[in-house]
Amino acid sequence: MPKDAVHSGGWEHRDLHNLYGFYQHKATVEGLITRSGGSERPFVLSRSFFAGSQKFGAIWTGDNVASWEYLKISLPMLLSLSLAGIAFCGADVGGFFQDPEPELLVRWYQAAALQPFFRGHSAKMMKRREPWLFGEEVTAAIRTAIQQRYCLLLYWYTLFHQAHTAGLPPLRPLWVEFPGEHNTFTVDHQYMIGGALLVCPVTEPGVQEVEVLLPGSGEVNEPPFHCEIAVDFDVSSVQVPVFQRGGSVICRSEGHFSCTADLHLVSLQGVAAGELYLDDFHSFRYRDAKSFCLRRFDMRSGWLPTNSNNIKQKINKINQKPDVLLLKISTFSAVREKLAIITKCCRKFMT
């Protein structure tokens, strides 16, 4: 319909067009919940959305093209969606139309693996693009990106808990975390994953080095930097710049697709903090029975105390979780600290 077509009440069509997709999304979610007897969380992906669609599921940016330009613009698109409240968002990896060259496919996987919604998708008339069809080098690079994604799933899950309870998007422009630094206001090729990880995907062909803005004074320091600075970072076909913020603790899966987890801590003057949220990943028991674990880790004066018995009491109704929670500490030569490390502090999740 024409954008200026007028509906009942004087509303122009441009204001109401996406309500159709919104109510399709809503009805599908409600139907799936009803079918499970109200016990299972559904997953429903939609291309059309409206204000409030974040309540019902994931959103993707639509039919894009396999080009470097579309990879590049996907970053500000996802940041804008995140700021508008659409937290679970992503773009088709490799582009929906046209056929990506191997380098573009690798760089798109590397970027998308560090975004909320991660999916390869293309039109059926396009050539097949499974990673193993492009040679061992491309396969290995994409495998590395996907493995990194799996390692960070517990961190992503904790960030989605924050989005659910406080409205904080997992994907954030730099200025959200560094509002006092005006030079971050125009940066949309880098972003933060939560408050702990800074990412700068490679979005141009043939690039061997990228300039990365590291805001804060000594805050983003793995690799370690101790002042606000723009640095040149070497990038090979298997590398994308990812920095952990000083003073942060993130939970990662250990190894490749392992059921063991570890805490990765980067201290800032002997202080670091972070959270871990866990539930059963599929039901509404977190809401109806308060069956979840929300654990905060605080390091003060170089010490990181924890209580394994307390953790086990909080999660005694949760299953299908890491059998062991290992605590791993990263320190640098510039920082000397005493660390009290208590390992294996989540031995067995009991049903």
Side-chain angles (χ1 to χ4, degrees), residues 194-210:
L197 295 180
L198 183 149
V199 180
C200 181
V202 179
T203 58
E204 295 181 357
V207 171
Q208 298 297 318
E209 186 178 81
V210 295

Side-chain angles (χ1 to χ4, degrees), residues 2 108 133 179 223 235 237 270 286 292-293 313:
W108 213 316
L133 298 178
V235 289
S237 61
Y286 74 94
F292 64 87
C293 170
Q313 288 175 358

Side-chain angles (χ1 to χ4, degrees), residues 255-296:
H256 304 321
F257 314 111
S258 170
C259 63
T260 300
D262 70 85
L263 293 179
H264 198 78
L265 181 151
V266 178
S267 66
L268 183 65
Q269 297 179 346
V271 176
E275 288 185 342
L276 171 63
Y277 173 84
L278 294 172
D279 58 29
D280 64 12
F281 296 117
H282 66 89
S283 79
F284 288 103
R285 287 180 55 80
Y286 74 94
R287 181 192 66 190
D288 301 333
K290 307 302 179 187
S291 180
F292 64 87
C293 170
L294 178 60
R295 181 66 175 173
R296 182 169 178 83

